[in-house]
Amino acid sequence: MILLYQESRYSRINVSTIYDKYEAVIGLEIHAQLQTKSKAYSSDKNEYGSAPNTNVSVVSLGHPGTLPMMNKESIRFAVKMGVACGSDITQDMIFARKNYFYADLPKGYQITQDKTPICTGGSVLIKDANENDKIINITRIHLEEDAGKSIHDLDPYNTLIDLNRAGVPLIEIVSEPELKNSQEAYNYLTEVRKLVRYLDICDGNMEEGSMRCDANVSVMLKGSTVFGERTEVKNMNSIRNVQKAIDYEIKRQIEVIEAGGEIKMETMNFDAVTGTTSSMRSKEEAHDYRYFPEPDLQPLQVTQEYVDKVKEQMPPLPKELFDKYTQELSLSAYDAGVLTETKEIALYFEEVIKHTKHYKAASNWVTVNIKSHLNDKAIEIEDFNVPATKIAEVISLIDEGIISNSVASQKVFPLLIDQLDKTAKQIAEENNWIQDSNEDAIAGFVKQAIAKYPEKVAEYKAGKKGLMGLFMGEVMKLSQGKADPKAASKALAKELNN
Ligand code: ADP
Ligand code: MG
């Protein structure tokens, strides 16, 4: 029976039908490191990339007699996330000790929250695999501290330990088991990462481990209401790998069940090189953490007043901006999606539309011209030095017929980047790019264009209206790109239809 599993892995036979009998259930636990200046319970620096074991005081090391002290900023960050997800913020909470022994946890316990997480409920809006809206409910968000980092691949004989990470504040965001496939998991993670970045509470960098995800995966026969046993997959260092790990795990579980086996509650390790999962530890080996209230930290109270203050100071969120762009500015969902992909792009666009009411043009400039410039130069919008006011100026120059769209994007825009001290109008004037809407000049170009192609004129008159493009091209060429296209096409039509 085990053959089935072997064969399908090498795709020798088509067994795809067995997969169609099942549906998957997925719940994610996301750990996000909070980018506070200091650690969760001490004044040690919270900084990625410092020399190993330099951001460690006796508190991080858990020396006897030391006492933790709550970092207020980490509370504020967690509340921000809760508010953004529409969660209930817990008013009275305590912290808990989660006890386990591991070399990168010198204290022998982690200070976390057990029965009283700081946020409960709330949701994240995602797209499902068919691009329809879907709400994913949040079970809870709790505060805790990170452990140190064990490094297994630098020394051939020893595991090295860097305790800089020990005590770094985290929030853990636990979703309800409502994700149905790896695409939804991918979209959910992307959305959560966008959110923590907009909120400025975590950099969302999965490669560096500042955002991590454990995927709980189970399968059941289609239409069943009883969930199957789940496994928990760890160690994916990108959103794409979370998706791969889930796909592999779903397939593996179905094959085990189809071969007459049983899924046991296990923690699985994902191997990015082979794209496979393997057992790390089973439930029998699971820890009994012996949670108890942390005696060294006082109960914490978050008042409604405090929550209201955090609400007042909330930055714009991607969902709000998306709705504003599609509903108030009448932009397409696609454009709004590109504009809100990162907070920095959205904020730049917000600046542009402070100075122009031509929203569609503003969107095009940001999503097309500016974005392709950023791509070409491999830079971020933060490094783009042209002020938003100048982009708005270019838009109005086009709208007023002073420069043409193509001159603006192909000629003026590159110089705007290189000649930061000049306005768009100055650049256009100095280079003699101001568009000609002088009727006499245009009429002259029209006459020349028509005189150049007598046979084409006859064809046009015989009904080949598509030739208009040829004449327009000639007029633009004769005017060195400066003829106002609207005026030129009007004059051409008039002349040709004569
Ligand atoms: P644990 O500490 O055991 O990991 P948590 O409550 O922290 O438990 O997380 C459980 C996660 O597993 C949640 O994200 C939840 O949605 C998910 N989950 C629970 N049951 C299932 C299931 N049968 N299949 C898939 N995911 C599940
Ligand atoms: Mg878990």
Side-chain angles (χ1 to χ4, degrees), residues 70-323:
M70 194 68 219
N71 180 339
K72 266 197 208 154
E73 193 70 345
S74 63
I75 309 275
R76 195 170 69 85
F77 282 12
V79 171
K80 268 171 112 176
M81 187 63 182
V83 168
C85 296
S87 310
D88 291 324
I89 311 296
T90 307
Q91 302 243 325
D92 295 290
M93 67 194 96
I94 55 164
F95 288 81
R97 265 191 202 184
K98 179 179 179 179
N99 300 280
Y100 63 94
F101 173 77
Y102 203 75
D104 56 24
L105 188 79
K107 289 207 296 243
Y109 60 87
Q110 184 187 19
I111 303 179
T112 178
Q113 295 189 304
D114 181 28
K115 300 275 189 304
T116 54
I118 186 159
C119 313
T120 53
S123 63
V124 174
L125 183 69
I126 66 158
K127 294 280 182 215
D128 69 12
N130 301 318
E131 293 288 310
N132 295 317
D133 283 348
K134 176 170 178 179
I135 287 172
I136 302 301
N137 287 293
I138 306 271
T139 315
R140 63 173 199 273
I141 303 173
H142 64 256
L143 275 163
E144 60 185 25
E145 63 179 324
D146 214 338
K149 197 169 176 179
S150 300
I151 300 151
H152 305 289
D153 55 1
L154 276 187
D155 183 301
Y157 306 108
N158 302 297
T159 289
L160 305 179
I161 298 203
D162 179 6
L163 293 172
N164 282 347
R165 206 177 70 176
V168 165
L170 298 172
I171 47 171
E172 178 174 339
I173 307 151
V174 182
S175 86
E176 287 291 302
E178 295 175 344
L179 299 155
K180 291 217 160 304
N181 51 56
S182 68
Q183 184 64 50
E184 288 187 12
Y186 183 95
N187 294 352
Y188 170 77
L189 263 167
T190 306
E191 226 30 66
V192 169
R193 182 173 65 182
K194 210 194 271 180
L195 213 48
V196 296
R197 285 178 173 168
Y198 265 79
L199 292 169
D200 246 331
I201 60 173
C202 169
D203 67 18
N205 189 331
M206 288 194 66
E207 286 73 22
E208 289 178 358
S210 45
M211 191 169 114
R212 303 191 289 272
C213 170
D214 301 339
N216 295 271
V217 181
S218 67
V219 298
M220 60 185 179
L221 284 173
K222 261 189 191 152
S224 168
T225 48
V226 186
F227 288 174
E229 189 60 272
R230 70 179 151 115
T231 59
E232 182 174 334
V233 195
K234 289 184 182 290
N235 290 331
M236 292 81 77
N237 67 351
S238 69
I239 296 186
R240 193 57 75 193
N241 278 343
V242 173
Q243 185 175 20
K244 281 190 193 157
I246 291 171
D247 279 335
Y248 183 85
E249 190 56 18
I250 292 173
K251 207 160 161 264
R252 187 192 69 83
Q253 290 187 11
I254 293 173
E255 288 166 6
V256 168
I257 295 170
E258 282 289 310
E262 202 181 333
I263 301 302
K264 290 182 300 263
M265 197 150 164
E266 273 179 308
T267 303
M268 312 290 291
N269 177 53
F270 177 70
D271 181 341
V273 176
T274 57
T276 61
T277 63
S278 58
S279 179
M280 249 164 94
R281 53 176 183 263
S282 68
K283 193 174 182 341
E284 288 78 58
E285 303 160 48
H287 303 285
D288 175 359
Y289 294 115
R290 299 180 67 92
Y291 285 98
F292 65 84
E294 167 59 54
D296 289 341
L297 278 179
Q298 291 184 343
L300 181 79
Q301 207 177 36
V302 175
T303 61
Q304 187 56 45
E305 210 185 338
Y306 181 86
V307 176
D308 291 342
K309 222 167 95 200
V310 172
K311 272 187 190 159
E312 271 166 37
Q313 295 164 355
M314 284 292 269
L317 296 179
K319 168 82 173 67
E320 287 162 18
L321 291 177
F322 183 91
D323 291 348

Side-chain angles (χ1 to χ4, degrees), residues 247-488:
D247 279 335
Y248 183 85
E249 190 56 18
I250 292 173
K251 207 160 161 264
R252 187 192 69 83
Q253 290 187 11
I254 293 173
E255 288 166 6
V256 168
I257 295 170
E258 282 289 310
E262 202 181 333
I263 301 302
K264 290 182 300 263
M265 197 150 164
E266 273 179 308
T267 303
M268 312 290 291
N269 177 53
F270 177 70
D271 181 341
V273 176
T274 57
T276 61
T277 63
S278 58
S279 179
M280 249 164 94
R281 53 176 183 263
S282 68
K283 193 174 182 341
E284 288 78 58
E285 303 160 48
H287 303 285
D288 175 359
Y289 294 115
R290 299 180 67 92
Y291 285 98
F292 65 84
E294 167 59 54
D296 289 341
L297 278 179
Q298 291 184 343
L300 181 79
Q301 207 177 36
V302 175
T303 61
Q304 187 56 45
E305 210 185 338
Y306 181 86
V307 176
D308 291 342
K309 222 167 95 200
V310 172
K311 272 187 190 159
E312 271 166 37
Q313 295 164 355
M314 284 292 269
L317 296 179
K319 168 82 173 67
E320 287 162 18
L321 291 177
F322 183 91
D323 291 348
K324 170 178 165 187
Y325 297 165
T326 50
Q327 289 160 24
E328 286 172 39
L329 311 190
S330 303
L331 298 176
S332 69
Y334 176 80
D335 285 350
V338 179
L339 290 170
T340 54
E341 225 163 67
T342 73
K343 181 169 82 174
E344 290 71 23
I345 292 277
L347 290 182
Y348 192 90
F349 177 69
E350 286 286 306
E351 273 308 302
V352 179
I353 59 172
K354 274 187 195 154
H355 306 281
T356 175
K357 293 273 169 291
H358 195 162
Y359 306 124
K360 178 65 188 153
S363 164
N364 283 345
W365 275 89
V366 174
T367 61
V368 182
N369 305 59
I370 297 179
K371 273 209 105 175
S372 58
H373 169 74
L374 301 179
N375 283 344
D376 286 352
K377 293 276 180 287
I379 55 171
E380 303 292 330
I381 187 97
E382 297 92 298
D383 307 312
F384 180 68
N385 293 328
V386 178
T389 47
K390 287 197 190 172
I391 300 299
E393 185 203 354
V394 172
I395 293 170
S396 73
L397 290 178
I398 299 168
D399 289 348
E400 289 162 24
I402 295 172
I403 53 177
S404 71
N405 208 344
S406 60
V407 163
S409 46
Q410 287 157 30
K411 298 182 172 167
V412 176
F413 182 59
L415 289 193
L416 266 186
I417 298 165
D418 290 341
Q419 305 181 353
L420 286 169
D421 56 323
K422 290 181 186 154
T423 66
K425 182 130 188 230
Q426 282 171 335
I427 290 173
E429 275 168 352
E430 284 173 14
N431 292 283
N432 201 17
W433 291 331
I434 300 289
Q435 187 159 261
D436 217 331
S437 46
N438 178 312
E439 275 182 35
D440 294 341
I442 289 179
F445 296 136
V446 166
K447 286 219 162 65
Q448 285 182 57
I450 287 180
K452 191 168 170 190
Y453 298 108
E455 324 84 71
K456 300 285 177 202
V457 174
E459 284 175 39
Y460 178 89
K461 289 194 167 164
K464 221 170 153 191
K465 301 291 176 207
L467 284 168
M468 189 64 164
L470 172 90
F471 296 116
M472 266 302 279
E474 191 58 29
V475 170
M476 294 315 281
K477 208 155 85 192
L478 290 165
S479 72
Q480 295 175 309
K482 290 192 298 179
D484 174 357
K486 267 196 221 111

Side-chain angles (χ1 to χ4, degrees), residues 33-50:
Q33 282 183 345
L34 301 176
Q35 44 195 14
T36 52
K37 289 204 181 71
S38 55
K39 291 189 182 176
Y41 314 112
S42 75
S43 57
D44 291 348
K45 246 202 269 173
N46 171 15
E47 188 178 78
Y48 181 84
S50 301

